[in-house]
Each structure stands twice: as structure tokens, then as C-alpha cells.
Amino acid sequence: MGAELHMMQDAKDNQMEDSQTEDSQTGPVLNNGTRALRYEEQLLWEREFHDTPGVDLPEPQGMPLRTGDALREDVGLPQVSEPEVLRHFVRLSTLNYSIDHGFFPLGSCTMKHNPRVNEKLARLPGFAHIHPMQEESTVQGALELMYRLQHYLAELTALPGVCLTPAAGAHGELAGMMTIRRAHEAAGENETRKIVLIPDSAHGTNPATAVICGYKVRTIPTKETGRLTQAAFEEALYKTDPDGKDVAGMMVTNPNTCGLFESDIVGIADALHAAGGYFYCDGANFNALVGKVRPGDFGVDVMHINLHKTFSTPHGGGGPGSGPICVTEALEPYLPIPVVEQDINGAYFLAREKSRPETLGKLRGFVGQFGMHVRALAYMLSHGADGLKEVSENAVLNANYILSQLKDDYHVPYDGPCMHECMVTDKLQKGETKDDDVTTLDIAKALVEYGYHPMTTYFPLVLPGTMLIEPTETETKGTLDKFITVMMHIASEVRAGNRDQFHHYPQSAPRRRLDEVKAARHPVLRWSSDQA
Ligand SMILES: *Cc1c(COP(=O)(O)O)cnc(C)c1O
């Protein structure tokens, strides 16, 4: 194992000794928890500086309150000055890990570098300072940009109808499934088609979307091979109706959330179409296919695309998502509005109910996350068709490199190469007793200790203890090698019997192990003075 890890370990041991010395030598005045320019501080509300008002506006004198009866009352804002507020939030922001800090191999989330040229273009005043209520004639450039983005998304997916409005992947799923429901309604079949088929490896948003749209979810098992098989699919399709006429459609992620390409997909799509169902493809992970495969060519009818994954618009705290949907020509009339169109004089306009009478309606205000449309188009144009193809090739190459290096140290449940992400489990790290187990959680926490953001853990749910690693194409081989070295080190420590340490990581992080279940089950969303 490289000297690097030992250095980290030494630094940590020193720090622990230090803190004991300090605790015993310095009194409570100096020991405010802040070490090495890293601040441990109270919430602004917990500070009692009521004698130093942060906002210094004099009481209005000799004039009636213009708010009528709404008397000015003490709203209890913390009394802190501008520099104090600024510092507090800047310090908090340094506790937040992001793709701009380092490697972020969160499977299915595609945390990749957001090229700064996108940011620069999104800040051009002609894009940044326009208002959605402006006359269309004054924002022709912005509309053209959206029109071109629609066009390229249609080209890349082979699905000609595009609506840019959904504000995230899950919102795109909703828009897509509502489009499918609207089509069944138009055909008078909405009352008989009540079932949506979804494989058990699916992202949780898929069944949630189907249920919100009023459908019953029928799960297709994939555990044996990690992939959908024609046989398992047909069993689900014909389960309650010999012709599958009670099935509205299926929602499938391809590549799936085990990082595997669904190789039976064409036959499955054919069977579904023969039964009159629609194929919804969760295209959040289009970054594995973009420029290589067009989903419309393998039978997809509707697909959402996470611009914030494949096309590098910032997410995960860095910016809003954007989840456009692309549909077949047959489904295009039902798309949500507005959609950008061009008239015979070449002017761009937002098509609404008048020109799209069959639309399912409006999903949200205005046109969607326009700033993300700018960034996504900038990304496409700066890469070009050949560059986008390279994106998916390198994303897949990087994931397979990691898989090839880790396959002797971690259990790889499914054979063959992966797509843009690889899946392993903690099976080889099991101990003689449960207490000896080094689990996926322990491995994730050890990664934090060693300076790496963990991969996605315990997802997908098809097998116990899964770890889903997505390196993306934007990382260097050097970064991948260092991550692999740390993963191998963890495995070799476990093999050598040095298991106990893994139950105590992280040691050096600002917080150790949080009670995540409690945080999820009993979230405290509002501060009150009892908690102080
Ligand atoms: C990320 C993701 C989603 C949800 O996208 P959001 O923008 O987070 O709503 C849905 N499906 C899959 C497969 C994903 O990876």
C-alpha cells in the first residue's frame, strides 16, 4: 500500500493526540472547536448578540404604516452583521463536498465536471437577463437556442417530439408517463390499461411516477442475470390478460441501474408494442449511449434525459436539474406545452393549446430551466457529434477499467463488461460472525476517511450490499488509479483480519457516523430554541 495512506493515518493519529493535549491544556475560552482553520460553530440563531443589531434601520417616524394593520413585529431574525453572515455561510459551504472538490463516483448520478465555458455562456446578459414574460419577438435568440436543443435531442434519441419543460429527471418521468396516459385516453383505452411493468432494479422514481399517474406497478424480476429477459418480461406482460391488453406500458432504464445493457430489449419492445403498450425509457443515464445508440431505434416511445447528467449541467446542490422528454411522432401531439416551433417566416414561437389541441396541458410555469438549456447546448456544440460519441466511449471505458481492477477484491455479481458504471457487493468482506462483517456502509465510511466521496451504496436493491461506481469520462487515469488503490487497500486490510478499524471510520471528518435512519424518519426541518 502506498505511503500516501499511511501518511493520512499518521496525520490523523497526531491530530487525535493533539486534541487530547489541547483539551487538557486549554480552557473553554480558547477551545471553541475550531482547528486548523476549520470552524466548528453555532447556528446564527444560537448566537446571542441581541445588543448588536445587524440591520440598522431607524423606526419610521411620523407616518402611518403602509402595510395597514399588519404591525411590525419581532420576527426573531438573528442579529448578525454582513461579514458574520457571509463568513458563516462560506464556512458551511466548505463542509459541503462537490465535484469541484474531487472525485465523486456516485453511481447513477453522473457527477462529472461541468465545463466552465457553459457557465460563461449562460451568464451572457442576453441569456441571463431576459424574462419569461417578454414578448416572443424580443427573445428570438433564446427561443432559437431552445429550438436547436430540441432538434439535437431529437437527433440523438431518434425521437422527434421534444418538450424541454420538465425541471428534473423525476419530473420528466412524470411528463413522459402523463404523455402515455394521454395517448391511451385519446384511444379510449385508459380505463382498461392499468398496469405498468417495471424491473426490480429500477430507480425508485419509476414506480413512484407510475403510481402517481394512477397505474398499478407489476415488478419484473431480474436478480438472476441482472438483466431483463424476454421470458420474464412476457410472463409479466401476459400475466392477467392473454394478450397483455391491460398493460399501459413499461418503464425500463437502459443501461439499467446495475450498469448493464439490456440486450433483449428489441424483442421485449416488439412484444410490448404488439400488446398496445408504450415503452418508457428512463434515460437519466444516456451518457453511456449518447452518440452511439439512438433509443428510438431499439423501440423506445418516450424517454426523459437528465441534462444535468449526460450534458453536464450542474446538479447535486450546484444547480437545478432539467429533464426534457423525447417522444415518437405518434405521441408528439400529446406532449406538455409549451414547445418551441418555427413558423413559415422563420420566426420562433411557443406552441400552446391552440396549435396543439391534444396536449396534456401545462406542467409548470414558463419554459423550464432555461439556464440549463443554454449550458446543455453549449456542451453539445463544444463536443460536436464525434465528441459526444467519445464521451460515452470514455465513460464506459473508465467504468470497465475500475471493474477490471477491483474484480478480484470485491464480489462482482454479474458477468461481462459494464456500461458507464460498475456494480460490486460486500460479499467477500463478510466475517465469521455478523460483528466481523465489513459492510458496504463501513467501506463507504472508510473511503470518506481516505479522502474519497463514496460510491452509491445499497442501490440497486436487487442484491444485498451493492456498491455502484460511476467514474464518468472526465476523470484522469491517475485519479482512477488512486481510488482503486484505496479500494484495494480496504480489501487487503479486511483479508488480513484488521476489521475492527472499519467500524469506526470516518475519524477525521467534521462529523463521524450520523444516524441516517433517524434523520430520514424524523427530519427536523425547523429550528426552535428548545433544540439549542
Ligand atoms: C438520477 C436518476 C433519476 C432521477 O433524476 P432527478 O433529476 O434526480 O429527478 C431517475 N432515474 C435514474 C435511473 C437516475 O439515475
Side-chain angles (χ1 to χ4, degrees), residues 472-505:
T472 84
E473 75 286 357
T474 59
E475 300 300 336
T476 61
K477 179 165 179 292
T479 301
L480 303 187
D481 282 334
K482 282 188 191 153
F483 172 75
I484 289 163
T485 307
V486 170
M487 287 292 287
M488 286 178 169
H489 170 73
I490 294 170
S492 85
E493 283 287 288
V494 172
R495 272 194 305 271
N498 303 324
R499 293 169 167 270
D500 190 50
Q501 55 178 328
F502 292 107
H503 303 136
H504 305 290
Y505 287 141

Side-chain angles (χ1 to χ4, degrees), residues 108 168-170 173 203 205 253 282 284-285 306 308-309:
S108 204
E173 287 177 40
H203 200 268
T205 48
T253 310
D282 179 331
N285 305 140
N306 283 16
H308 49 293
K309 292 179 182 169

Side-chain angles (χ1 to χ4, degrees), residues 199-201 220-229 258 262 414 462:
D200 53 3
S201 64
I220 314 171
T222 64
K223 192 173 150 182
E224 295 303 313
T225 56
R227 291 180 172 87
L228 262 178
T229 61
C258 301
E262 294 291 4
Y414 301 119
V462 275

